[in-house]
Amino acid sequence: MGGKTYKLKFGHRGANQPVKNLKTGRIEITSQNHGFAVDIATLSAKDVEITHVNLNDQTLEGFRHRTLPAFAVQYHPEASPGPQDAQYLFDEFTRLMAGQ
């Protein structure tokens, strides 16, 4: 999708990273362990919808393709530190696999 990555000054580490879901406005407490991010400015707005941002530094944490059945988050939704803040991602993935 053309996005460029860069090294974070301070990586996202731990089980208490706040991420905002831009579609719902809800804050999810996430588990993370990464030192790079995708530069939002390098993604095409016509192809990519930003869905999640990190509240500590406003970096990209999730996006979806506008026409393809694809989405991604840059945290561990299976870790459930919230305790199940990101369960909806698995439901959405299942719907996409079923072609809905």
Side-chain angles (χ1 to χ4, degrees):
M1 290 183 237
K4 306 290 184 204
T5 60
Y6 64 95
K7 185 168 177 45
L8 295 167
K9 183 175 182 180
F10 302 103
H12 297 167
R13 316 241 185 260
N16 60 349
Q17 296 288 319
V19 170
K20 184 173 185 176
N21 180 324
L22 299 177
K23 294 183 74 140
T24 65
R26 294 188 65 183
I27 308 304
E28 301 169 14
I29 303 304
T30 66
S31 178
Q32 299 189 16
N33 185 24
H34 60 101
F36 289 82
V38 175
D39 183 354
I40 292 173
T42 65
L43 294 171
S44 167
K46 78 175 181 71
D47 294 327
V48 176
E49 173 188 7
I50 306 305
T51 59
H52 297 79
V53 294
N54 187 293
L55 290 181
N56 289 330
D57 59 11
Q58 301 303 304
T59 55
L60 179 68
E61 291 286 356
F63 66 89
R64 76 172 40 263
H65 196 277
R66 292 188 186 276
T67 58
L68 299 174
F71 71 94
V73 293
Q74 189 164 327
Y75 55 90
H76 301 292
E78 78 286 356
S80 301
Q84 294 185 341
D85 290 4
Q87 179 62 40
Y88 70 94
L89 293 170
F90 296 100
D91 298 336
E92 186 172 343
F93 180 75
T94 302
R95 281 193 300 277
L96 287 175
M97 293 292 292
Q100 299 175 359

